[in-house]
Amino acid sequence: MRQIVVTGGGTGIGKAAAAWFADRGDAVTIVGRRKNVLDRAAEETGAVAVVCDLTSPDGIEAVLQQMPERVDVLVNNAGGNTDLSEPAEAEEGTSPLSQIARGWRANLDANVLTAVLMTSALDGRLNDGGRVITLGSIAAKTGAGSYGAAKAALEAWNVSMSASLGPRGITANVVAPGLTVETEFFHGKLSDERYERLINATRTGWPGTPEDIAAVVGFLASPEAGHVTSQVIHVNGGAYSGH
């Protein structure tokens, strides 16, 4: 039985990935900040829930004893566009440059630091021949301010990870979704006009689902994908061609 760790496993793509592995008999641990959300997802998927703020080194170290002693697959899914989830207005007395810095740090912490810290924390527990799969975004190629920059940084970091983990037979890849429905990503801020524009950019004419992304994650975690590493796999209906 493989041991799987999925960060941000309470909703959306993370929850779908947890369900994909659990349905195939793997033991799954989901990690995230919101206990009620994680507990509900754990009940629905059969996963074990570990509550942790993945931007906090101390927080991660405090819960390591709750994590599997050996890890076969790590899915770094935690993140999201903090520009959409946090108030856009400047705090009283905050300069415009300070507000910009705050926004950029928030996206870098949420998307890059979470993956870097969790992978580093579990590095010694990763089984030889294991898998590290990190969720990126089409925004790394098409642009989206600090969020797109953070996801682009993950792609560069993944190249380094594949080099350091490769001698142990561990692969490291990025899965980069495009528009994916049934997630909390837009926090209710996706207008009909933008939705239509994003749909029209695809070749298929429809959005992705968390299950679409989970299936690709599942393939990259399989023995058949053992020679696929240091790659960015785009799952976006053709909205970005990948070259």
Side-chain angles (χ1 to χ4, degrees):
M1 179 184 296
R2 296 188 303 177
Q3 292 287 341
I4 317 295
V5 174
V6 181
T7 69
T11 64
I13 293 170
K15 181 180 176 183
W20 193 97
F21 287 111
D23 287 347
R24 286 156 180 80
D26 296 316
V28 182
T29 301
I30 55 175
V31 189
R33 293 180 293 110
R34 298 176 293 173
K35 185 179 187 305
N36 61 326
V37 172
L38 278 184
D39 287 345
R40 183 167 58 249
E43 183 177 353
E44 294 176 3
T45 63
V48 173
V50 175
V51 180
C52 178
D53 178 358
L54 292 168
T55 67
S56 167
D58 291 342
I60 293 174
E61 289 178 356
V63 300
L64 281 177
Q65 71 275 12
Q66 301 177 46
M67 309 287 282
E69 292 185 2
R70 302 299 295 171
V71 176
D72 297 290
V73 180
L74 169 60
V75 181
N76 290 311
N77 171 72
N81 190 343
T82 57
D83 290 340
L84 298 176
S85 60
E86 297 187 352
E89 66 275 4
E91 297 177 358
E92 185 177 353
T94 302
S95 71
L97 282 181
S98 294
Q99 186 71 6
I100 291 170
R102 174 177 172 270
W104 275 72
R105 290 189 181 111
N107 257 323
L108 289 169
D109 282 355
N111 294 283
V112 180
L113 199 61
T114 53
V116 171
L117 290 179
M118 180 54 80
T119 305
S120 299
L122 295 181
D123 180 276
R125 303 188 187 194
L126 289 171
N127 275 328
D128 290 353
R131 305 284 188 261
V132 176
I133 303 162
T134 301
L135 271 294
S137 172
I138 191 175
K141 303 301 185 186
T142 60
S146 58
Y147 173 70
K151 291 303 191 182
L154 280 177
E155 294 185 8
W157 169 75
N158 181 71
V159 174
S160 299
M161 288 301 301
S162 68
S164 64
L165 296 174
R168 294 160 56 190
I170 301 170
T171 65
N173 293 287
V174 172
V175 176
L179 173 64
T180 307
V181 296
E182 301 172 18
T183 75
E184 296 180 337
F185 180 82
F186 289 101
H187 296 274
K189 298 178 181 178
L190 178 62
S191 66
D192 291 342
E193 180 182 3
R194 186 178 181 191
Y195 177 81
E196 289 301 322
R197 185 167 67 251
L198 292 173
I199 290 295
N200 289 337
T202 70
R203 304 298 175 86
T204 57
W206 61 77
T209 67
E211 289 72 24
D212 292 329
I213 313 305
V216 177
V217 170
F219 167 70
L220 290 173
S222 71
E224 290 78 9
H227 201 48
V228 180
T229 194
S230 195
Q231 302 302 307
V232 179
I233 311 300
H234 291 276
V235 190
N236 55 50
Y240 175 76
S241 60
H243 59 265

